[in-house]
Amino acid sequence: MSLALWIAAGLLAVVALTGGITKAFVPRQKLAAVRGGGWAAGIGAGSVKALGILELLAAIGLVLPAVVGIAPVLVPVTAVCWAVLMVGAVITHGRRGEALYVVANLVYLVLAAFLAWGRFGPGSYVG
């Protein structure tokens, strides 16, 4: 179980890192022009960057607390926050008719829910 939770955390961290770098450092106009990035055209550049920073923080929060053993409860807390973010992403892509991105975000949401459940419950770090 612990291995599955580590894999889920690692996968989500990679997704968060990739998305965070893109949103934080790629200009909004460029992001809005690529497939799946059209949502960025409807919000301000500051909001896109804020989402990017949140995703970068999530990438850190999904693995670092457990790796260093300091406040490992932050891993499931971050997973819950990531799940909430993914609900917003599902709604946004759903409204735009982007089914592929809806499915991808649902997968991330399920992984985050699994991670939160596992780390708050049977796979917690408390031992």
Side-chain angles (χ1 to χ4, degrees):
M1 176 69 148
S2 183
L3 179 61
L5 291 168
W6 274 107
I7 291 169
L11 288 172
L12 289 175
V14 168
V15 169
L17 183 63
T18 304
I21 289 171
T22 302
K23 291 176 186 78
F25 299 109
V26 173
R28 182 181 62 91
Q29 298 82 1
K30 221 175 188 180
L31 180 62
V34 299
R35 184 173 176 230
W39 60 270
I43 64 174
S47 295
V48 174
K49 293 215 182 299
L51 281 172
I53 291 168
L54 287 174
E55 289 185 14
L56 291 172
L57 291 172
I60 294 166
L62 286 165
V63 292
L64 189 63
V67 168
V68 298
I70 298 173
V73 72
L74 291 176
V75 173
V77 169
T78 302
V80 169
C81 294
W82 183 260
V84 171
L85 186 66
M86 290 301 100
V87 168
V90 166
I91 292 168
T92 298
H93 288 293
R95 287 181 177 166
R96 296 183 50 80
E98 299 169 337
L100 177 65
Y101 297 102
V102 169
V103 172
N105 289 309
L106 283 172
V107 169
Y108 304 147
L109 187 142
V110 169
L111 280 173
F114 169 69
L115 181 60
W117 168 81
R119 290 301 185 206
F120 275 135
S124 69
Y125 298 106
V126 179

